[in-house]
C-alpha cells in the first residue's frame, strides 16, 4: 500500500480504528467473526516469519496487530506495517496472509512512485488505486496497466466475485488466463491452422520472376 504523506495521518487513524473492529476466531462460535485461522501450519509458519522479519527490521513498524498464536488454531492478527523502505521484501513479495505493508511517500513524488510500483516486484496478482481526479486515475491506469491481472479503481483490491468478474494474476502471479471468462477456455483448446488450396500450384517460381 502506498499513501501520500499529506493523507497519511487521516488514513492511518482510519486503518487503526477499523482494525480494532475486526474479530478473529471461530465463526461457528461467533457470527460476528470476520475471518478465522489461516489454512494450515505451513501457511501459519510462513506468515509468522514475516512478523518476525518486521520485529527485527529497523525500517518496519507495527501500527496495528503484529501477533500470531497457534495454541488453539492457526490464528494471525490482522496486521498493518509501516515501512521506511519501499524496496523492503515485505513490499515486494506475496504473503497470502492478513498483513498490509504501507509506504508513505512525499506527495510531490507521485509519478516516481507509480513507476516504482510497476517495477519493484515481479508479482502481479491484484492492485487498486484510489483517487478523485480523473486525470490521475487515467495516468495511474496507464503506468500500471501491466502491474496487476485484476485492477481496481476506487474499490478494494481482492479476488473476483464468482460468476461476476473473471480473475487471474499477471507476471509470475499466474498465467493471466482469467478463470470465469472466455479467455480461460482457450487454455483447454489446442489450436490448429489448416490451409486448403483449391487451385493447384503449377510452378515454383514467384510472379515477379517472369
Amino acid at each position: 500500500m502506498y499513501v501520500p504523506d499529506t493523507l497519511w495521518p487521516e488514513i492511518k487513524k482510519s486503518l487503526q480504528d477499523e482494525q480494532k473492529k475486526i474479530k478473529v476466531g471461530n465463526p461457528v462460535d461467533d457470527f460476528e467473526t470476520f475471518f478465522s485461522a489461516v489454512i494450515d501450519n505451513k501457511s501459519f509458519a510462513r506468515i509468522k516469519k514475516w512478523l518476525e522479519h518486521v520485529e527485527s527490521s529497523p525500517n518496519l513498524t507495527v501500527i496495528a496487530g503484529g501477533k500470531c498464536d497457534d495454541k488453539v488454531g492457526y490464528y494471525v492478527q490482522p496486521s498493518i506495517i509501516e515501512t521506511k523502505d519501499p524496496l523492503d521484501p515485505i513490499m515486494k513479495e506475496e504473503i497470502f496472509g492478513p498483513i498490509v505493508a504501507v509506504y508513505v511517500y512525499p506527495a510531490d513524488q507521485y509519478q516516481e512512485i507509480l513507476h516504482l510500483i510497476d517495477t519493484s516486484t515481479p508479482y502481479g496478482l491484484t492492485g487498486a488505486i484510489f483517487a478523485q481526479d480523473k486525470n490521475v486515475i487515467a495516468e495511474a491506469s496507464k503506468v500500471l496497466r501491466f502491474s496487476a491481472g485484476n485492477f481496481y479503481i476506487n474499490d478494494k483490491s481482492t479476488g473476483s466475485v464468482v460468476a461476476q468478474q473473471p480473475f487471474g494474476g499477471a507476471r509470475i502471479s499466474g498465467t493471466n488466463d482469467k478463470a470465469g471468462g472466455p479467455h480461460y477456455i482457450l487454455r483447454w483448446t489446442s489450436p490448429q491452422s489448416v490451409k486448403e488450396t483449391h487451385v493447384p500450384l503449377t510452378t515454383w517460381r514467384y510472379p515477379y520472376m517472369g
Side-chain angles (χ1 to χ4, degrees):
M1 184 175 179
Y2 300 80
V3 181
D5 54 4
T6 52
L7 298 177
W8 177 233
E10 178 184 355
I11 291 177
K12 178 180 179 180
K13 183 180 184 304
S14 295
L15 287 173
Q16 292 173 319
D17 290 344
E18 292 303 315
Q19 189 271 353
K20 294 175 183 176
K21 300 175 185 177
I22 298 175
K23 284 191 176 182
V24 180
N26 189 340
V28 175
D29 298 332
D30 185 353
F31 289 165
E32 290 294 316
T33 298
F34 182 72
F35 61 78
S36 188
V38 297
I39 192 168
D40 56 22
N41 180 59
K42 182 179 178 180
S43 177
F44 178 85
R46 184 181 66 252
I47 298 169
K48 183 178 180 181
K49 285 184 178 180
W50 279 110
L51 294 177
E52 291 171 346
H53 168 66
V54 172
E55 292 180 356
S56 64
S57 173
N59 291 321
L60 301 174
T61 303
V62 176
I63 63 174
K67 303 295 182 182
C68 60
D69 191 327
D70 61 350
K71 291 185 178 64
V72 295
Y74 303 120
Y75 291 104
V76 180
Q77 289 182 351
S79 303
I80 306 170
I81 313 299
E82 184 176 356
T83 177
K84 299 176 183 177
D85 181 8
L87 296 179
D88 188 277
I90 204 169
M91 295 292 289
K92 300 165 61 176
E93 299 290 329
E94 289 185 332
I95 299 177
F96 291 109
I99 297 177
V100 174
V102 184
Y103 175 66
V104 181
Y105 65 89
D108 60 357
Q109 296 181 14
Y110 165 70
Q111 280 80 11
E112 291 88 338
I113 290 299
L114 285 180
H115 290 284
L116 174 69
I117 295 170
D118 186 47
T119 59
S120 62
T121 177
Y123 297 97
L125 187 57
T126 67
I129 58 172
F130 292 85
Q132 295 178 335
D133 189 319
K134 293 297 184 181
N135 292 324
V136 169
I137 292 174
E139 179 182 15
S141 298
K142 181 178 180 180
V143 175
L144 302 176
R145 63 190 181 279
F146 299 122
S147 67
N150 274 48
F151 191 72
Y152 302 84
I153 299 173
N154 292 326
D155 198 0
K156 59 183 179 179
S157 177
T158 183
S160 63
V161 178
V162 176
Q164 293 185 25
Q165 179 186 354
F167 180 80
R171 295 179 175 173
I172 67 171
S173 292
T175 53
N176 211 21
D177 294 309
K178 298 295 183 288
H183 299 87
Y184 189 62
I185 300 298
L186 296 177
R187 298 295 293 180
W188 302 92
T189 64
S190 179
Q192 179 186 56
S193 296
V194 177
K195 175 185 178 183
E196 179 179 0
T197 299
H198 297 281
V199 179
L201 296 175
T202 58
T203 178
W204 55 267
R205 296 172 64 85
Y206 292 110
Y208 69 83
M209 297 172 68

